[in-house]
Amino acid sequence: MELIEGLYTRRSVRQFTGQPVERELLLEIIKAGTWAPSGLNNQPWRFAIVQDAAVRANLAKLTKYHFVIEGAPACIAVFIDKSLMYHDTKDHQAMGACIQNMLLAAHALGLGAVWLGEILKNAEAVRALLGLPEQMELMAVVALGHPAGKSHTSTRKDLADVLLKEL
Amino acid sequence: MELIEGLYTRRSVRQFTGQPVERELLLEIIKAGTWAPSGLNNQPWRFAIVQDAAVRANLAKLTKYHFVIEGAPACIAVFIDKSLMYHDTKDHQAMGACIQNMLLAAHALGLGAVWLGEILKNAEAVRALLGLPEQMELMAVVALGHPAGKSHTSTRKDLADVLLKEL
């Protein structure tokens, strides 16, 4: 897949076939995430892969979008290591760049994925469920699988509405 | 350029030829940024293109990396419209996803680019210099041009150092 084409054709995918996601693909997606830029190259991102059905069932209970996690054969929970942070805004931006790389890699690999943010309301419960230390703060859950059904359309504002000035 | 390849070969580029960047390429880069995902699809990103030499000279004074802006034929200042925000962390992540899309698009288009964050210490001065309203908060400046010199190497932690758990 061409890069520019991929930027424009990536969509949130929330419905998946039952087919498991190969571990190698999950590792490739995480590796792609780590090649995002970060301030001072501090690479604050950390990851947990969740495929176990019982753990996914409990994870699903922590978001109102439980059906997405229930139907996704794999989730990658994305954390920030608070001990590595140096600037809240820039570190959170770096996490966004990392997650975007992951979504793009999933798209290029023929998988479907969706960035779940609503679950951050239960960040502490997710961390405890996964048995991770307190310095790890949940940043997002990426639900993944082989896409089922049609991909949804999406829209963006026109350039004229977001380009404030040309100097 | 293949998407996966692009994720791994993008590097920060800080040295540029004097050749101006075609306006169509700058608009393509901004458009690519707008196709990032955002929470509630709120699309909080806004952009200002700076190519004017005098404005760039004043912009350069606001960062210790002044030589990058002085040597870059184009900059895109990336703002968040505070009136559209709903969750600081998620909105800043969306901005990071947007900026990453921009960097990837620049890379795919054969341009070099670097994400400048240090200039955020003078965010208000940048906003005033560009004559933008107070609701616009600077998130980054992306310096752009046709790359000069060799691209730098970069390193990332091994997967084993960032993958906390597999369940």
Side-chain angles (χ1 to χ4, degrees):
Chain A
M1 183 185 293
E2 284 288 315
L3 203 168
I4 296 277
E5 175 199 352
L7 297 177
Y8 292 134
T9 57
R10 180 209 55 80
R11 293 289 179 277
S12 297
V13 174
R14 297 177 179 84
Q15 292 183 299
F16 310 97
T17 71
Q19 189 185 342
V21 180
E22 300 75 0
R23 180 171 181 267
E24 290 64 31
L25 296 185
L26 296 172
L27 297 181
E28 182 82 29
I29 288 164
I30 291 172
K31 185 180 165 198
T34 70
W35 278 90
S38 55
L40 312 179
N41 198 22
N42 67 343
Q43 305 175 57
W45 35 69
R46 296 294 183 270
F47 309 90
I49 293 174
V50 182
Q51 295 182 282
D52 179 82
V55 179
R56 277 198 294 114
N58 283 319
L59 188 63
K61 290 174 187 162
L62 298 171
T63 167
K64 73 176 179 185
Y65 301 110
H66 55 88
F67 63 92
V68 178
I69 292 180
E70 289 161 357
C75 290
I76 301 175
V78 184
F79 293 84
I80 192 164
D81 184 335
K82 289 188 281 186
S83 72
L84 300 176
M85 292 178 70
Y86 80 109
H87 186 292
D88 279 10
T89 300
K90 296 179 197 177
D91 286 320
H92 290 150
Q93 288 177 343
M95 294 305 304
C98 167
I99 297 164
Q100 178 66 358
N101 267 16
M102 296 170 69
L103 297 177
L104 291 169
H107 182 43
L109 294 168
L111 296 170
V114 62
W115 177 340
L116 300 173
E118 190 262 354
I119 199 169
L120 294 197
K121 71 182 181 188
N122 289 318
E124 268 297 288
V126 172
R127 183 190 64 71
L129 172 68
L130 302 184
L132 296 173
E134 287 187 8
Q135 79 202 64
M136 301 300 168
E137 182 183 345
L138 186 70
M139 288 282 107
V141 170
V142 177
L144 290 147
H146 293 271
K150 290 183 184 172
S151 74
H152 291 262
T153 58
S154 189
T155 59
R156 290 297 184 278
K157 289 167 184 157
D158 289 336
L159 269 188
D161 296 324
V162 296
L163 179 55
L164 300 171
K165 199 163 259 196
E166 293 186 69
L167 297 169
Chain B
M1 181 184 294
E2 284 288 315
L3 202 167
I4 296 277
E5 175 200 354
L7 297 177
Y8 292 134
T9 57
R10 179 208 57 79
R11 294 287 178 280
S12 296
V13 174
R14 297 177 178 83
Q15 291 182 298
F16 310 97
T17 71
Q19 189 185 343
V21 181
E22 299 75 0
R23 179 170 182 267
E24 289 66 29
L25 297 184
L26 296 172
L27 296 181
E28 183 81 29
I29 288 163
I30 292 172
K31 184 180 165 197
T34 69
W35 278 91
S38 56
L40 311 180
N41 197 21
N42 68 343
Q43 307 174 57
W45 35 69
R46 296 294 183 271
F47 309 89
I49 293 174
V50 181
Q51 295 182 282
D52 179 81
V55 179
R56 278 198 294 115
N58 284 319
L59 188 62
K61 290 176 187 161
L62 298 171
T63 167
K64 71 175 179 186
Y65 301 111
H66 54 89
F67 64 92
V68 178
I69 291 179
E70 288 160 359
C75 290
I76 301 175
V78 184
F79 293 84
I80 193 165
D81 184 335
K82 290 188 281 187
S83 73
L84 299 176
M85 292 177 70
Y86 80 108
H87 185 293
D88 279 10
T89 300
K90 297 180 197 176
D91 285 320
H92 290 150
Q93 288 177 343
M95 294 305 304
C98 166
I99 296 164
Q100 178 65 357
N101 267 15
M102 295 170 71
L103 298 176
L104 291 169
H107 181 43
L109 295 169
L111 296 171
V114 61
W115 176 341
L116 300 173
E118 190 262 354
I119 198 169
L120 294 198
K121 71 181 181 189
N122 289 318
E124 268 297 288
V126 172
R127 182 190 64 71
L129 172 67
L130 302 184
L132 296 172
E134 287 187 8
Q135 80 200 64
M136 301 299 168
E137 182 183 344
L138 186 70
M139 289 283 106
V141 171
V142 177
L144 291 148
H146 293 270
K150 290 182 182 172
S151 74
H152 292 263
T153 58
S154 189
T155 59
R156 290 298 186 277
K157 289 168 184 155
D158 289 336
L159 268 188
D161 297 324
V162 297
L163 180 55
L164 301 170
K165 199 163 258 196
E166 295 186 68
L167 296 169

